[in-house]
Amino acid sequence: MPFSRLVRFISTDGKTYTGDAILPAGTTDAMKATRAKVIVGDIFGEYTITEEVKDIKKLLSPLSWSQIPTVRLLGLNYAKHALEIKLPKPIYPVLFFKPLTAIGGPTDDIPVPKLAQIDNETDYECELVIVIGKKALNVTEEDALNYVLGYCVGNDLSQRAWQIKKGGGQWGLGKMFDGWAPMGPAIVSSSIITNPQNLKISTKINGKVCQSENTSDQIFGVAKTISFLSQGTTLLPGDVIFTGTPSGVGMGRKPQYWLKDGDVVEISLEKVGTIINKVVYEKDVKAKL
């Protein structure tokens, strides 16, 4: 029997486990789970959901760095977002990468190092995240969803000054920092989310709604994205793909809003749940340019 909502967590015994979250009645948000059934084995191969139940002390990223071969991300993948920042819709998916160290957990702080504090233009981006479940090479759009293990919600943090102005158009330079791709709170099985193109997605900053959209506004849906990215390039089990952000980002607001030290960012996706991360500015370290 496949998992429903796969979580990785530290239990009250201090040990780290992978488990299938036991949700309280009336919720689909794994962030609210306090217990999970322990999973043993390879989640990309043979595994067993045991009857052993552990308390959840702290939720971690559903996948560890060692389980993720690559972190791929799409830019400009929502029609209204392209409109708000006054750029044309792309003809093909716009792809970039983040380092594994960018991956963070659903409740981890978002560290803003001194280098990223220059010009103070750190932005939030709520995103649907795909987790690939098996090798995918040259797959068709019709078959693409069969390669999905499940879905998370994530935040593609972006330092716009480095991304656009100082970096010479090198998107990765403004998105590379440690902890700048928190994701979770669980990997929700593709057997639960059978249609990823009709999910509400949103961001709150300090309780105020800043983004509120539906994945139906994506220019390149999940199936098309997987098919395109697999052409001539093998997607591996554990690869994560952030699928772009909807309208409402700080850069597109009037006036623009940049994340500040102490801001609390809540990113939510229907049927998946919420990640809650606090922005923490690095102190007393000089940036070396």
Side-chain angles (χ1 to χ4, degrees):
M1 181 178 178
F3 67 83
S4 295
R5 289 174 171 82
L6 185 143
V7 291
R8 198 168 63 92
F9 62 98
I10 299 173
S11 189
T12 50
D13 61 8
K15 297 180 180 180
T16 298
Y17 298 92
T18 295
D20 199 4
I22 301 171
L23 299 185
T27 184
T28 59
D29 189 348
M31 183 67 83
K32 297 179 180 179
T34 59
R35 299 182 302 152
K37 290 185 176 181
V38 174
I39 294 175
V40 295
D42 178 8
I43 63 170
F44 301 106
E46 297 293 328
Y47 66 86
T48 301
I49 303 173
T50 72
E51 293 302 313
E52 182 181 10
V53 174
K54 290 288 185 179
D55 292 331
I56 297 173
K57 183 178 180 181
K58 177 182 172 62
L59 282 174
L60 306 173
S61 168
L63 297 176
S64 66
W65 293 348
S66 64
Q67 292 175 297
I68 303 172
T70 64
V71 184
R72 290 173 168 86
L73 305 94
L74 298 191
L76 291 176
N77 195 32
Y78 280 75
K80 294 175 186 175
H81 174 53
L83 184 64
E84 76 175 339
I85 60 174
K86 299 179 175 57
L87 288 174
K89 293 182 184 179
I91 299 174
Y92 303 104
V94 177
L95 174 66
F96 59 99
F97 295 80
K98 283 195 176 188
L100 292 175
T101 52
I103 294 294
T107 62
D108 290 350
D109 289 342
I110 298 167
V112 181
K114 284 292 185 179
L115 187 63
Q117 293 175 34
I118 295 173
D119 288 353
N120 286 324
E121 294 186 2
T122 299
D123 209 345
Y124 52 87
E125 299 187 26
C126 61
E127 307 208 4
L128 164 69
V129 180
I130 306 164
V131 179
I132 297 296
K134 57 184 179 179
K135 285 185 179 181
L137 176 64
N138 298 329
V139 303
T140 65
E141 187 174 338
E142 292 72 23
D143 196 32
L145 295 187
N146 292 324
Y147 293 83
V148 177
L149 180 73
Y151 302 93
C152 299
V153 65
N155 187 357
D156 169 24
L157 276 295
S158 304
Q159 214 285 356
R160 301 299 188 188
W162 283 109
Q163 177 192 359
I164 299 170
K165 304 171 187 175
K166 298 178 183 294
Q170 299 183 60
W171 284 27
L173 188 58
K175 294 170 173 282
M176 67 181 182
F177 302 106
D178 289 354
W180 277 40
M183 57 180 273
I187 299 174
V188 177
S189 171
S190 56
S191 65
I192 293 175
I193 299 178
T194 57
N195 178 16
Q197 301 311 141
N198 186 25
L199 301 172
K200 295 176 183 177
I201 189 167
S202 64
T203 299
K204 291 181 181 178
I205 309 293
N206 302 325
K208 178 182 177 181
V209 176
C210 296
Q211 292 181 283
S212 183
E213 194 46 80
N214 192 291
T215 56
S216 61
D217 191 48
Q218 286 187 340
I219 298 168
F220 306 104
V222 170
K224 186 178 290 294
T225 293
I226 293 171
S227 176
F228 180 83
L229 296 183
S230 76
Q231 299 307 305
T233 301
T234 303
L235 303 179
L236 295 173
D239 278 347
V240 297
I241 304 169
F242 283 62
T243 58
T245 195
S247 60
V249 297
M251 181 174 66
R253 303 183 75 84
K254 296 181 180 179
Q256 291 179 325
Y257 183 85
W258 308 117
L259 292 174
K260 303 184 299 296
D261 188 25
D263 279 353
V264 176
V265 186
E266 298 179 54
I267 305 282
S268 300
L269 179 65
E270 185 180 1
K271 295 185 179 181
V272 171
T274 301
I275 61 174
I276 304 173
N277 307 96
K278 183 179 179 180
V279 177
V280 178
Y281 274 40
E282 185 179 69
K283 309 293 194 303
D284 302 324
V285 177
K286 292 182 179 180
K288 295 180 181 179
L289 303 183

